[in-house]
Amino acid sequence: MSDEMNNYYNQEPPQEEGKGFAIAALVLGCCGLIAWCLPLLGYPVTIVGIIMGILGIKKGAGKTMAIIGLILSILFLLLTLGNSILGVMLNLSELSSYM
């Protein structure tokens, strides 16, 4: 009986598999909050966050985290794109004022 109890108490807790993509999507979505200010960092961070979010949704485990990460990544990708366009427009208007 003591062997059975030893085996019972020495078991590892069951772990959920497949949450890695969902966690990565959420973390990258949160990092996009800062990365969108600098488009050179914003594009790769948000694009990888979108890919991880899609893979996390397909895996099924941690689906809520994957959806939140996907939404944040898409939002900050749009902000990064807007920041890039605004930067180009400002530089073009500055160049035209010198000519």
Side-chain angles (χ1 to χ4, degrees), residues 22-42:
I23 293 170
L26 185 62
V27 168
L28 289 171
C30 292
C31 289
L33 179 66
I34 297 169
W36 75 271
C37 296
L38 186 61
L40 288 175
L41 289 178

Side-chain angles (χ1 to χ4, degrees), residues 25 28-51 54 68-86:
L28 289 171
C30 292
C31 289
L33 179 66
I34 297 169
W36 75 271
C37 296
L38 186 61
L40 288 175
L41 289 178
Y43 285 117
V45 167
T46 56
I47 290 171
V48 172
I50 290 170
I51 293 168
I54 291 169
I68 293 170
L70 181 64
I71 291 170
L72 287 173
S73 293
I74 291 171
L75 174 70
F76 291 121
L77 178 63
L78 294 175
L79 285 173
T80 301
L81 181 64
N83 189 13
S84 298
I85 292 170
L86 184 63

Side-chain angles (χ1 to χ4, degrees), residues 1-22:
M1 185 106 172
S2 66
D3 286 337
E4 289 176 15
M5 293 196 91
N6 252 349
N7 288 337
Y8 178 76
Y9 287 114
N10 289 332
Q11 289 180 354
E12 292 183 21
Q15 298 193 6
E16 295 181 34
E17 293 186 21
K19 288 179 88 172
F21 289 122

